Amino acid sequence: MDNEMTLTFLAISENEGLARVAVTGFIAQLDPTIDELSEFKTVVSEAVSNAIIHGYEEDGRGVVTVHAKREDDIVTVSVMDNGMGIEDVSRAMEPLFTTKSAMERSGMGFTIMDSFSDQLTVMSKWQEGTTVTFTKKFYSVRTAVM
């Protein structure tokens, strides 16, 4: 393993930006392309937002943990909560499915997360929490230009 980090924070909306910035800083040493960086930030944002909004219903008391590890040019990130959990993961992964339709949400973002990562897994236990793990291989700007 080249590097590893863990960030734990309260499940409040403003901390979604904190998670994005922390993971962006973590992958910066890989010299990612702008597209890779943008896509990865989106995946982090979607996963953390789900933990806050769907896992803890924005109660401000729950805790979200983001764990990232880098091995060569491959980064794996897990976003974990001990919130509500997902009753039916395969249904939740359908485009536009949401548990918060009254909030005019356009889905839980799993389709986006899956398209912007090389591998996505969602492990959840109802009433116990969820872990979303995604992996991406990065190609440095220098490599992408050549």
Side-chain angles (χ1 to χ4, degrees):
M1 176 178 354
D2 294 336
N3 201 0
E4 184 173 9
M5 70 156 225
T6 302
L7 175 66
T8 303
F9 50 85
L10 286 178
I12 55 178
S13 293
E14 67 190 59
N15 285 335
E16 177 265 327
L18 170 66
R20 237 185 14 246
V21 168
V23 173
T24 299
F26 182 76
I27 64 174
Q29 302 100 352
L30 295 174
D31 198 18
T33 66
I34 296 296
D35 287 343
E36 288 175 326
L37 196 57
S38 178
E39 290 173 0
F40 210 67
K41 286 181 355 185
T42 299
V43 177
V44 170
S45 180
E46 290 288 340
V48 170
S49 292
N50 279 350
I52 294 168
I53 294 167
H54 299 281
Y56 292 117
E57 298 186 325
E58 299 182 85
D59 70 4
R61 294 186 307 252
V63 173
V64 177
T65 300
V66 176
H67 179 81
K69 68 179 179 179
R70 188 183 77 228
E71 296 179 34
D72 297 320
D73 54 0
I74 298 173
V75 176
T76 301
V77 175
S78 294
V79 177
M80 300 158 275
D81 70 69
N82 294 311
M84 297 293 296
I86 301 170
E87 195 167 12
D88 184 345
V89 172
S90 29
R91 185 161 181 237
M93 294 184 82
E94 292 175 4
L96 303 178
F97 174 82
T98 184
T99 61
K100 302 290 182 194
S101 55
M103 295 175 68
E104 298 183 23
R105 296 263 171 212
S106 59
M108 294 179 72
F110 289 120
T111 304
I112 293 167
M113 288 185 251
D114 189 41
S115 69
F116 287 163
S117 59
D118 296 333
Q119 183 177 1
L120 174 72
T121 58
V122 180
M123 304 295 291
S124 189
K125 193 160 188 183
W126 182 241
Q127 300 295 323
E128 292 186 24
T130 302
T131 299
V132 176
T133 302
F134 44 96
T135 303
K136 182 159 183 73
K137 178 180 174 79
F138 286 87
Y139 301 91
S140 77
V141 172
R142 289 175 288 238
T143 305
V145 173
M146 295 178 176

